Amino acid sequence: AAQLTVSETVSGTDQDEVDARVDARGDLFIADRVGDASAPQRLARAARSGDRQAEVLVPDKIEDVACDAAGRVVTLRAASALPDDLPGALRRYDRDLVEDPGFQAPDLADGIGWQDRLTVTRSGEVVLVTTHEGGSLLYLAADGSPRGGSVQDSLVPLPVAAGDVVDVASDFEGSIYVATASEIVRLGSDGVLDTADWNPAQREAIVAIAADDSGVVLVSCQDQD
């Protein structure tokens, strides 16, 4: 951290969340918007030094961003009034922030929406939370197609409600971690589900999680005050 240099400061904010993810090279991908609701949003890549190296204006208000080991970035916007409008909400960009025209997410069945959280495995699989059966993980291949051949065959039911999910993460081995305010669920690469209640003293709620290459889960919490 002592070697990190702040290369620029952008004035103004609409006080929306700013999301960011670090890839295996140490590059930081940032989604932010400065201004009112009509202001364009930017997706940027900053180097380990803090210098911004690439930037692109994006058409949507990004709710979550994730990246794989190759530096490919996937963005997700909020669910619209059309629950099956996932193709327009999920986009993939390369490391230089050029959108991949070959990436195409599938339409979801009527009545299935998604939670505004996703993760990307090291191999490039996209995993997001849907409202199917109350809460399920949807696995998509690197090109956006359903991993199981169809949406129905690519869904894995979760023991938590989609509306309660606050964050999703993946580790080196492909395990997926899903967090609510007080619980963490792990879906192993072998398909085994584990759950753990997490409610230590002096902490109000989980707000974000991440997993490192050794499977250690890092938890960000809100204090009771």
Side-chain angles (χ1 to χ4, degrees):
Q3 299 174 352
L4 181 66
T5 302
V6 177
S7 59
E8 63 178 308
T9 301
V10 181
S11 60
T13 177
D14 64 351
Q15 298 189 11
D16 280 342
E17 292 182 8
V18 175
D19 211 348
R21 289 291 186 271
V22 177
D23 71 5
R25 307 182 189 190
D27 286 336
L28 178 66
F29 294 91
I30 310 162
D32 65 1
R33 183 178 70 193
V34 177
D36 59 23
S38 63
Q41 185 160 8
R42 297 169 302 180
L43 180 64
R45 187 188 83 239
R48 188 184 297 269
S49 64
D51 295 323
R52 188 174 299 209
Q53 297 184 325
E55 182 178 281
V56 64
L57 292 179
V58 293
D60 306 313
K61 171 66 178 79
I62 296 174
E63 296 293 335
D64 203 5
V65 58
C67 54
D68 62 18
R72 293 175 298 184
V73 186
V74 177
T75 63
L76 179 69
R77 69 160 168 77
S80 69
L82 300 172
D84 62 349
D85 190 27
L86 186 60
L90 200 62
R91 303 173 185 271
R92 186 190 289 277
Y93 299 82
D94 66 16
R95 187 170 177 270
D96 294 322
L97 304 185
V98 176
E99 186 172 357
D100 180 1
F103 181 83
Q104 182 65 43
D107 284 329
L108 301 181
D110 290 341
I112 300 179
W114 64 87
Q115 183 69 357
D116 303 329
R117 294 290 178 264
L118 83 158
T119 189
V120 176
T121 67
R122 291 181 63 87
S123 62
E125 283 189 332
V126 180
V127 185
L128 65 153
V129 179
T130 77
T131 60
H132 176 71
E133 295 186 354
S136 298
L137 289 178
L138 173 62
Y139 283 78
L140 303 177
D143 63 358
S145 62
R147 185 182 70 173
S150 68
V151 170
Q152 193 68 33
D153 291 334
S154 304
L155 289 163
V156 179
L158 287 171
V160 296
D164 293 337
V165 174
V166 297
D167 205 5
V168 185
S170 58
D171 67 14
F172 182 82
E173 295 182 346
S175 294
I176 306 299
Y177 300 84
V178 180
T180 69
S182 61
E183 188 174 20
I184 297 175
V185 177
R186 179 180 63 199
L187 176 61
S189 56
D190 56 1
V192 175
L193 274 167
D194 298 312
T195 61
D197 292 326
W198 204 86
N199 190 24
Q202 307 304 315
R203 296 292 182 267
E204 184 70 20
I206 299 171
V207 295
I209 59 171
D212 67 12
D213 286 350
S214 60
V216 175
V217 180
L218 310 175
V219 183
S220 176
C221 311
Q222 176 184 345
D223 290 340
Q224 288 183 346
D225 60 0

